[in-house]
Amino acid sequence: MDKRVVRFPGALLALAIALASSGFASGEATIDPVGIDEGVPGGFTFASVARRASDLVANPYAPDRPELPHYFADLDYDKYRDIRFQRDQSLWAAEGLPFRVQFFPRGFMFEDRVVINVVDQGHAVPVDFVGSLFDYGKNPVPTDIPADIGFAGLRLLYPLNRDDVFDEVAVFLGASYFRAVAQGLHYGISARGLAIDTGLASNEEFPVFREFWIEKPDRDATEITVYALMDSESLTGAYRFRIQPGLQTLIDVKAQLFFRDSVQKLGIAPLTSMFFHGENTERFIDDFRPEVHDSDGLVIETGHGERIWRPLTNPHGLRITDLQVTSPKAFGLLQRDRDFTHYQDLEAHYQDRPSVLVEPLADWGKGVVQLVEIPSDSERYDNIVAFWVPETPVQAGQQMALEYRLRFSRDPEAELLGGRTWATRIGAGGTDILDRTRRKFVMDFVGDSLANQPPEAPVEAVVSASSGALSDAVAQPNPEINGWRLFFELTPDGDTPVDLRAFLRKGPDVLTETWTYHWVRE
């Protein structure tokens, strides 16, 4: 994969997440008094954005990146972070509304100009860029900043954890990236509007949200709606995000896509995360922290009811895995491990990073959930991507409609009764720890279906491998976690990679999800 493809998203997301945690507060922003109703009866609607996207697709892609003055173009990471939105300028603060909005300036790696509008009673009004909206810290920025500089993105605030404190709940910044948090959580995993040609030898294409419309909420609103216009070399698109913050922050996504060109690989509902090392990492990592990751596994709920869990890895080489699914009910990247002692990081709070589930709101038919794992030498880079790829590639001139829900949560599986993987550990097999010809795999499972099994229950371990030889698998109670443990040994066929599957059952009853793993000798 092109180095730019590997590094750019991670660096951008690391910066965006840091900026999203920088403590902006409240106030009132300035907007242009001239309204735009888009010529739609009843005012601005999703159809207004869809029509803009349909008109735009007829023209070649033209990025909106007017040249920045040197005092913005020459910013580095730290200098850009030194720019703060003024605390007394947040949109709607003076009106006492339940949501507030703040903006990001262009500069550093955020070169695209993003137009931002407010929709009030069907009337769309553009937000003016005014230099006084920002405190530029130690940066030598003049007072007469050109008004056409424009914004790079926006953030939404809401009293998520306390009634008297407005917390960041969602941020749209950079290409089509956005992220959200739920109650008691910190920023981590991010979502994107689309992924195009991710993991291919050709350069990855990054669609851009070039314009936003934010619906002004009512005084008692518990959700807010944001519209976005997407543009890229291959397509345009209209998006609607209905965002409901809470114990679980829900984002209902509706999209209408228009294709300028054929797309070799279209990644729908992409999630981007970080996995540096964890309990299943076999090579030595010189780190005082036992684990470092925003997510520890990919979960898939198939259309016929099977639940699949794939622990994440930080591979030596680019690894792309296709998991074929018909009509998926859900897929997502989860942070199941919530134990601080497994991370020992007082600043990053990895135990408090969100899990995210993608839940299709229509039948997506045949396709694959693709997992892309990129080698990484640092936690700074988001090296994990997961998305849905439809079986039939899209062609130039086609249109596509999508609807799905994103569930940002501490535990989106809280109501799951079946057994789920609690931990995956790998070590030397046999009695000689220096003998690496055999590998031992140990999985712990928890869940109501297992907690109710007496220790003498005839629980059976079912394991299969694509190559190599397996020992007899063993299932035994694990009273320390009120669950069960499954373990076996693998004797690989030389350096041939092995695909493994395992689950627990009792008679005809399957007690757990299906654990899967792609093992490669390190």
Side-chain angles (χ1 to χ4, degrees), residues 138-155:
K138 297 180 181 179
N139 294 304
V141 176
T143 57
D144 57 341
I145 300 173
D148 62 353
I149 290 293
F151 300 109
L154 62 95
R155 74 169 80 209

Side-chain angles (χ1 to χ4, degrees), residues 26 50 174 265 270 299 321 340 350 435 453 500:
S26 62
K265 185 200 292 186
V299 69
T321 305
F340 166 78
Y350 288 116
D435 179 8
Q453 300 295 329
L500 298 162

Side-chain angles (χ1 to χ4, degrees), residues 300-308 322-331 360 362-370 387-392:
I300 301 172
E301 187 174 349
T302 69
H304 60 271
E306 183 182 18
R307 197 173 185 88
I308 299 169
D322 288 341
L323 297 119
Q324 293 188 350
V325 188
T326 299
S327 304
K329 292 183 179 179
F331 72 90
D363 186 351
W364 283 4
K366 293 183 179 180
V368 299
V369 174
Q370 186 166 101
F387 45 78
W388 168 260
V389 181
E391 182 180 58
T392 304

Side-chain angles (χ1 to χ4, degrees), residues 323-447:
L323 297 119
Q324 293 188 350
V325 188
T326 299
S327 304
K329 292 183 179 179
F331 72 90
L333 293 173
L334 307 188
Q335 183 79 315
R336 281 181 171 172
D337 191 340
R338 297 296 179 184
D339 191 334
F340 166 78
T341 63
H342 295 176
Y343 302 99
Q344 293 293 338
D345 195 319
L346 292 173
E347 295 182 358
H349 303 284
Y350 288 116
Q351 72 279 2
D352 293 325
R353 301 297 174 99
S355 294
V356 180
L357 274 183
V358 177
E359 300 171 352
L361 300 179
D363 186 351
W364 283 4
K366 293 183 179 180
V368 299
V369 174
Q370 186 166 101
L371 174 66
V372 180
E373 297 168 297
I374 303 169
S376 177
D377 59 4
S378 170
E379 65 195 282
R380 291 177 296 169
Y381 305 122
D382 283 85
N383 61 325
I384 303 295
V385 189
F387 45 78
W388 168 260
V389 181
E391 182 180 58
T392 304
V394 293
Q395 305 298 323
Q398 279 187 246
Q399 297 184 29
M400 178 182 291
L402 296 170
E403 288 194 68
Y404 57 91
R405 170 171 290 174
L406 296 172
R407 189 180 299 272
F408 289 76
S409 174
R410 179 178 293 275
D411 185 7
E413 304 172 302
E415 298 180 2
L416 181 66
L417 299 179
R420 55 177 170 170
T421 310
W422 184 253
T424 299
R425 297 180 176 87
I426 307 171
T431 57
D432 184 356
I433 61 172
L434 299 180
D435 179 8
R436 294 181 59 85
T437 59
R438 288 189 291 176
R439 307 303 292 159
K440 175 173 283 189
F441 292 78
V442 181
M443 289 79 71
D444 285 321
F445 295 91
V446 296

Side-chain angles (χ1 to χ4, degrees), residues 160 169-172 178-183 185-192 241-253 270-272 333-334 338 353-359 404-412:
L160 184 65
V169 295
V171 173
F172 292 82
F178 60 99
R179 59 205 62 84
V181 290
Q183 234 174 65
L185 299 180
H186 297 262
Y187 283 114
I189 187 173
S190 295
R192 282 192 261 171
F241 303 93
R242 285 182 174 162
I243 304 168
Q244 182 179 348
L247 188 60
Q248 296 188 85
T249 291
L250 306 179
I251 303 181
D252 285 347
V253 182
L271 302 175
T272 303
L333 293 173
L334 307 188
R338 297 296 179 184
R353 301 297 174 99
S355 294
V356 180
L357 274 183
V358 177
E359 300 171 352
Y404 57 91
R405 170 171 290 174
L406 296 172
R407 189 180 299 272
F408 289 76
S409 174
R410 179 178 293 275
D411 185 7

